[in-house]
Amino acid sequence: MAAGAHYPAVDKHDLFTALAGAPPAGITVVTPNRRLAHELAREFGETQQGRGLAVWQTPDILPFGALVERFYEDALHSDAALRLPLLLTPLQEWELWQAAIRGSEWGGMLLSPAATAEECRRAWELVHEWDVAGAIGGVPGNEDARAFAEWSRTYARRCEEERGTDAARLPGLVAAWLGESAAVKPRRIVAYGFDILPPQARGFLDACEIHGIEIATCAPRERAGDVARRVFASAREELEAAARWARAKIEAGAGRVGVVVPELGQRRKEVARVFARVMHPAHNIPGAQRKAPPFNLSIGAALSEYPLVRAALALLELATAEVPFDLASKLIRSPFLGGAETELPARAQLDAALRKRAPALLTLGKLVGLVDRAPSLRGRFEAMFALAREEGGRERGPNEWGRHFADLLAAAGFPGERVLDSDEFQTLAKFNESLVGFARLERVAPKMSRARALARLRHVCAQMPFQPETPEAPVQVLGILESAGLEFDALWISGLTDEAWPLPARLNPFIPPALQHRAGIPEASAAAALARGQRITAAWRRAADEVVFSHPAMDQDRALIASPLILDVPAGTVPAVPGETWRDRIHGASGLESLTDGQAPPLATKAPQGGTRILVDQSACPFRAFARHRLGAEALEEPVAGPDPRTRGQLLHGLMRALWLDLKGSDGLAGDCAPAVARAAQVAVMEARLEEPFAALERARLEKLAREWLDVERRRPPFEVVAAEQKRMLDLAGLQISGRIDRLDRLDSGGHALIDYKTGNPTPRHWNGPRPEDPQLPMYAVGAQEDISVVAFAKLRTGEMKYMGFSDGPDRIPGVKSSEDWPSLLAGWKREIESLGSAFASGKAHVDPRDGLKTCSQCDLQPLCRVYEHIDVLGEDADE
């Protein structure tokens, strides 16, 4: 039924006049949602200010659900209190639904009973809102519907046992109480802005009317606004244009501007970023005074996404279980722990040091042992550890766990020593509210472990939408349904493609389709969804003096078309909207100079630190070599589970060194090599200081690798290993560079073979040409005192074992190619290496990656060299 079909309608001006009357007119205004109630109260206040008033009585404007709860609370203070069930919190409802699901035959089949419980709550609300709860189980349906019918019976029984009720059934309960003499009732209720009145709400208002309350309806003022349609190349351009348009309207004097964004919940971060850049450009400048932005997003983020709450939950997780190092690192550097400001430098240094020696997973006890600086932080963690250990593995009720979690956070000094800003203060209050809500589970939840209790608290925070209150903003960014009933000076509705609007029909999986169709639920059928879309579109056209409908023409390479509900509006050109961001202003400013400075002071020493890696980096990018080996720039390490790539390299080299120190050469391959292989694997693992079970796994892997490699070695002509992992000092380009050769063999056929172990996909081609990609072996070859006749990679990769490289003649080592001109090859290597060494020594340090951004992909110095400002491959999406 259309909203208020049999209730008298009042004009909005008359409604405001009545609300402003004195004495109080006894009028209560109910709205479909909290946002509309807030906006209506704000608009009334502006009306009163326009009349020259400084003070006035606050009008009674509230959402429908809040009105029902107020009646219920009044009843609790009457003689009827003993007969009334207690109202369950949403979290208590969720807990009872979970219990019903887990105890059923379907409980063990579900991947996530918690998520299913949330869906059941929504279905339960829907069947009561549309007055079909009594038909659940009586209408044929699929297995989901049968399961929901059983869970509903169990849930209702548990509610009765607990003497509780829920918000879904509260209107019917309160309607029955309205006839009581103690009921405090307004003289009149005005339903404002309802697109449609569901049967439950209509029945409640009918009950109010029966018990002497006048019922009326009121709708927003209709405006004969100008309507236009705009088409954009992409959704990103559309959003940018909407933000610039909104800014221009405010600057032109508009008092209230609305921008509607479909799927605002999914695009929230993108929308906030674009609107902030256009309308609040100083929002992310370090050290700038924080000011409220001139826009407001109607949809908040989950409470668990806010930094303060993330820190609190991370602290509780650290006290409960083993956590990844990344989480422990964030806590060490978090401003929400006690002493964070005082110990800021020490904690940053501690974090950098722990990255080199901490395991990938940490317990609180292990972390306490690793904190060897920052005494305040260590004291906080020790206090938390004492509390956590005291609790042990006992199961407790939610109320006790709530107090325990609060004690743990207090021991950590949460929320820190600095003064919280307004947003953080509100977030802390909301988190404390979530702790209270969790503790109230005591009434319906069994005792549980600390881990399960923390999982419950995480769910509370993840399901609690939150947005800090800010001053009134002239621009409102809304989702489609949040915009219903609101009025603006100018309104832009974006994303109106045929796929997005009208909203598609979405049957609830737990309610039989026939029942949903019979009830007339708008989401249940395409016809009902279309009708709702038509009503909302018509309301948009009347909601502002200027209305813009827009949609993108393309989604990547897929063409899009406009919604049929706006095709009657001719598509126009996009007007040029003045206004520029700070980025535009900076780049457009005159007097900008471009200075290329790639020359550092000459090297002051002949023996730089960094070894052969210096020239490898100089070849890749001169700036990389300068930053790493002269400035000492390096990325922070990241502990990983098991051996990291560097440790795996150490294991391989340790294995080969120990193996050839034992076998000596080809003569040692004649007998049984298994004992030598086992000894070498053991030595390598011990030197790498691996702990079990990784040590056993690596021993087995290394033994298998060695056995397969020795089969390759047996196919070689006779040789003797004369050096393994031997340190060398190389004189190259006037520099003394330290190095370590993997292996040097003396060949019975004459000369020596220089060998480098590789586990990846090496290629000798990387030794040649200007700025060779891998000049390390050529450096050893031209700097060696021995007569080098073979330079080769030993590819130690299971299934692909082989030698590859160059030699001064044929048949030196299987797989190694004979060079056509060995002396020229060595001379070319020497020339390139001398060039690289001279460039490094002279201070050449320009940003010049050898292969463009391909070279940069494996470099960790990009924030320092800012190569993307020189090679902008990201374009407009760089801030994504």
Side-chain angles (χ1 to χ4, degrees):
M1 179 182 291
H6 64 282
Y7 301 133
V10 298
D11 181 74
K12 187 174 181 178
H13 178 269
D14 294 339
L15 173 63
F16 277 10
T17 300
L19 290 173
I27 298 175
T28 293
V29 181
V30 294
T31 62
N33 54 61
R34 191 171 300 278
R35 171 168 288 273
L36 185 53
H38 174 80
E39 288 297 310
L40 191 63
R42 179 199 58 78
E43 190 177 346
F44 175 77
E46 290 181 352
T47 301
Q48 295 295 83
Q49 286 180 327
R51 297 173 57 197
L53 299 178
V55 294
W56 55 86
Q57 183 167 329
T58 301
D60 190 20
I61 304 174
L62 71 171
F64 176 78
L67 173 67
V68 175
E69 288 193 24
R70 186 169 72 185
F71 277 130
Y72 171 76
E73 290 172 1
D74 290 343
L76 289 179
H77 293 86
S78 71
D79 293 339
L82 295 178
R83 305 193 306 271
L84 291 174
L86 294 179
L87 180 62
L88 298 171
T89 66
L91 186 60
Q92 289 172 334
E93 295 176 31
W94 172 73
E95 182 67 34
L96 290 179
W97 278 111
Q98 274 205 101
I101 292 168
R102 293 182 188 278
S104 71
E105 62 177 293
W106 294 278
M109 305 178 188
L110 298 171
L111 292 176
S112 177
T116 305
E118 282 293 339
E119 291 299 324
C120 285
R121 281 190 63 238
R122 296 189 186 99
W124 184 253
E125 291 172 353
L126 197 61
V127 296
H128 283 85
E129 183 180 14
W130 291 89
D131 199 21
V132 290
I136 291 296
V139 175
N142 58 18
E143 188 174 13
D144 288 340
R146 292 195 298 275
F148 178 65
E150 180 180 322
W151 296 335
S152 298
R153 289 190 292 271
T154 305
Y155 168 78
R157 185 171 60 251
R158 279 295 310 275
C159 288
E160 187 176 352
E161 292 171 357
E162 299 291 341
R163 291 199 67 249
T165 190
D166 47 46
R169 293 177 286 179
L170 197 60
L173 181 71
V174 170
W177 176 78
L178 288 175
E180 299 276 349
S181 59
V184 179
K185 296 170 286 191
R187 180 179 60 84
R188 194 180 197 191
I189 293 178
V190 178
Y192 179 86
F194 283 85
D195 169 57
I196 188 170
L197 272 175
Q200 185 184 55
R202 190 168 61 249
F204 180 82
L205 293 179
D206 287 344
C208 290
E209 191 173 42
I210 290 172
H211 293 296
I213 303 174
E214 296 179 24
I215 306 297
T217 63
C218 184
R221 284 186 291 261
E222 295 186 3
R223 308 188 186 197
D226 295 328
V227 182
R229 178 159 65 95
R230 303 286 182 256
V231 185
F232 295 87
S234 67
R236 176 63 181 272
E237 290 184 19
E238 179 188 27
L239 188 61
E240 186 87 21
R244 289 179 178 272
W245 174 86
R247 173 177 169 174
K249 291 300 173 186
I250 295 300
E251 291 175 348
R256 204 73 174 166
V257 175
V259 177
V260 178
V261 181
E263 298 181 344
L264 179 59
Q266 289 76 16
R267 299 182 66 189
R268 186 180 188 279
K269 292 182 179 179
E270 177 193 4
V271 171
R273 183 173 59 249
V274 169
F275 272 77
R277 187 172 63 234
V278 172
M279 308 190 70
H280 189 40
H283 73 286
N284 59 352
I285 295 181
Q289 183 178 2
R290 295 188 63 178
K291 295 182 179 179
F295 64 91
N296 173 267
L297 272 64
S298 67
I299 297 177
L303 181 62
S304 57
E305 293 184 15
Y306 287 83
L308 182 143
V309 179
R310 282 205 304 265
L313 296 175
L315 282 168
L316 298 178
E317 185 176 352
L318 177 63
T320 302
E322 200 172 42
V323 301
F325 175 82
D326 179 62
L327 187 144
S329 169
K330 290 176 181 176
L331 286 176
I332 290 170
R333 296 176 284 115
S334 172
F336 302 114
L337 270 68
E341 297 294 304
T342 306
E343 288 188 340
L344 180 62
R347 294 187 184 185
Q349 293 171 356
L350 171 66
D351 176 63
L354 288 181
R355 291 171 178 272
K356 298 179 179 180
R357 55 190 172 92
L361 297 174
L362 285 167
T363 61
L364 178 57
K366 186 175 288 187
L367 183 59
V368 169
L370 290 171
V371 178
D372 53 2
R373 60 189 83 182
S376 174
L377 180 66
R378 182 184 177 94
R380 298 290 183 182
F381 284 157
E382 286 176 341
M384 288 180 63
F385 182 71
L387 279 172
R389 184 172 54 182
E390 180 182 331
E391 289 302 318
R394 291 182 293 174
E395 293 193 341
R396 299 190 171 204
N399 190 34
E400 289 184 83
W401 282 128
R403 289 199 300 268
H404 175 65
F405 290 157
D407 291 342
L408 282 172
L409 294 175
F414 180 81
E417 61 183 338
R418 69 174 173 81
V419 177
L420 301 179
D421 63 27
S422 175
D423 287 359
E424 291 169 339
F425 184 81
Q426 294 180 64
T427 305
L428 177 62
K430 195 68 175 180
F431 176 69
N432 289 334
E433 179 185 326
S434 71
L435 267 178
V436 172
F438 167 76
R440 292 179 68 182
L441 280 177
E442 183 80 16
R443 177 181 170 191
V444 297
K447 291 185 176 182
M448 59 188 74
S449 65
R450 181 164 55 198
R452 190 176 176 189
L454 179 56
R456 288 286 199 279
L457 180 60
R458 280 190 176 280
H459 176 85
V460 175
C461 296
Q463 295 297 319
M464 185 178 289
F466 172 67
Q467 189 168 12
E469 292 184 6
T470 57
E472 288 292 338
V475 176
Q476 298 293 309
V477 185
L478 310 152
I480 283 182
L481 298 182
E482 288 83 16
S483 65
L486 300 181
E487 298 178 45
F488 302 95
D489 295 322
L491 176 64
W492 180 305
I493 304 95
S494 66
L496 295 179
T497 65
D498 64 333
E499 296 177 357
W501 189 248
L503 296 174
R506 290 187 176 92
L507 286 167
N508 189 290
F510 290 121
I511 307 172
L515 191 58
Q516 297 184 60
H517 294 153
R518 185 198 309 169
I521 298 175
E523 295 87 358
S525 69
L530 174 61
R532 182 177 63 174
Q534 290 171 331
R535 290 194 303 272
I536 294 177
T537 303
W540 282 335
R541 294 171 186 252
R542 303 188 300 266
D545 296 328
E546 180 181 351
V547 179
V548 177
F549 293 141
S550 71
H551 65 90
M554 299 292 293
D555 177 13
Q556 296 181 353
D557 59 350
R558 187 168 61 93
L560 302 174
I561 61 176
S563 165
L565 300 185
I566 62 169
L567 281 177
D568 62 315
V569 182
T573 59
V574 180
V577 178
E580 57 183 356
T581 65
W582 280 19
R583 182 179 66 179
D584 299 331
R585 184 170 296 180
I586 291 171
H587 282 276
S590 60
L592 291 179
E593 297 181 4
S594 177
L595 175 63
T596 302
D597 184 9
Q599 183 61 48
L603 192 64
T605 178
K606 296 293 184 182
Q609 299 294 314
T612 57
R613 193 69 204 172
I614 292 174
L615 300 192
V616 173
D617 288 336
Q618 184 73 24
S619 174
C621 177
F623 181 82
R624 183 191 297 186
F626 170 72
R628 281 184 175 169
H629 306 292
R630 296 188 63 179
L631 299 183
E634 60 178 357
L636 293 174
E637 297 185 28
E638 191 73 29
V640 297
D644 58 19
R646 183 173 61 180
T647 302
R648 287 187 176 274
Q650 293 173 349
L651 286 166
L652 176 68
H653 288 78
L655 170 74
M656 289 296 148
R657 187 192 74 253
L659 185 61
W660 289 113
L661 286 177
D662 196 339
L663 297 177
K664 308 300 184 184
S666 55
D667 291 343
L669 299 174
D672 182 10
C673 297
V677 167
R679 287 192 297 270
Q682 178 66 22
V683 169
V685 169
M686 290 179 61
E687 289 177 346
R689 298 181 179 179
L690 291 185
E691 299 178 354
E692 300 294 347
F694 296 114
L697 293 172
E698 285 300 314
R699 278 194 298 270
R701 184 184 70 86
L702 292 174
E703 288 182 24
K704 182 174 183 283
L705 189 78
R707 288 192 298 268
E708 188 175 346
W709 178 249
L710 291 183
D711 289 339
V712 176
E713 297 283 15
R714 290 188 179 97
R715 295 194 290 270
R716 285 182 54 187
F719 64 91
E720 178 189 358
V721 178
V722 296
E725 299 296 323
Q726 186 183 78
K727 291 183 179 180
R728 293 283 179 101
M729 187 62 69
L730 307 174
D731 290 322
L732 301 168
L735 300 176
Q736 295 180 349
I737 297 178
S738 62
R740 184 190 297 269
I741 62 173
D742 289 357
R743 181 170 146 199
L744 186 68
D745 291 0
R746 183 185 295 116
L747 307 178
D748 281 10
S749 58
H752 294 77
L754 191 60
I755 299 170
D756 192 35
Y757 301 125
K758 295 291 184 181
T759 58
N761 288 306
T763 171
R765 292 194 304 272
H766 291 165
W767 298 336
N768 300 329
R771 295 176 65 179
E773 186 171 338
D774 190 358
Q776 188 173 37
L777 264 183
M779 290 169 61
Y780 291 137
V782 301
Q785 301 298 319
E786 294 85 357
D787 176 23
I788 302 299
S789 57
V790 177
V791 178
F793 284 135
K795 184 177 181 180
L796 281 79
R797 188 169 183 174
T798 300
E800 302 177 32
M801 302 281 189
K802 63 180 177 178
Y803 276 108
M804 54 178 64
F806 300 109
S807 65
D808 63 355
D811 302 326
R812 288 291 199 170
I813 297 178
V816 174
K817 295 180 179 180
S818 175
S819 172
E820 296 179 357
D821 190 346
W822 182 251
S824 295
L825 181 64
L826 293 179
W829 288 350
K830 183 176 179 63
R831 185 170 53 253
E832 291 301 327
I833 289 166
E834 294 285 346
S835 174
L836 292 173
S838 298
F840 179 77
S842 65
K844 289 186 177 179
H846 50 292
V847 178
D848 182 22
R850 180 182 52 245
D851 299 320
L853 294 181
K854 179 181 177 182
T855 300
C856 301
S857 64
Q858 300 299 320
C859 180
D860 48 34
L861 299 177
Q862 295 168 16
L864 185 60
C865 73
R866 300 184 299 180
V867 66
Y868 285 104
E869 294 182 16
H870 177 62
I871 309 175
D872 185 12
V873 297
L874 298 180
E876 284 302 311
D877 292 332
D879 60 350
E880 293 287 356

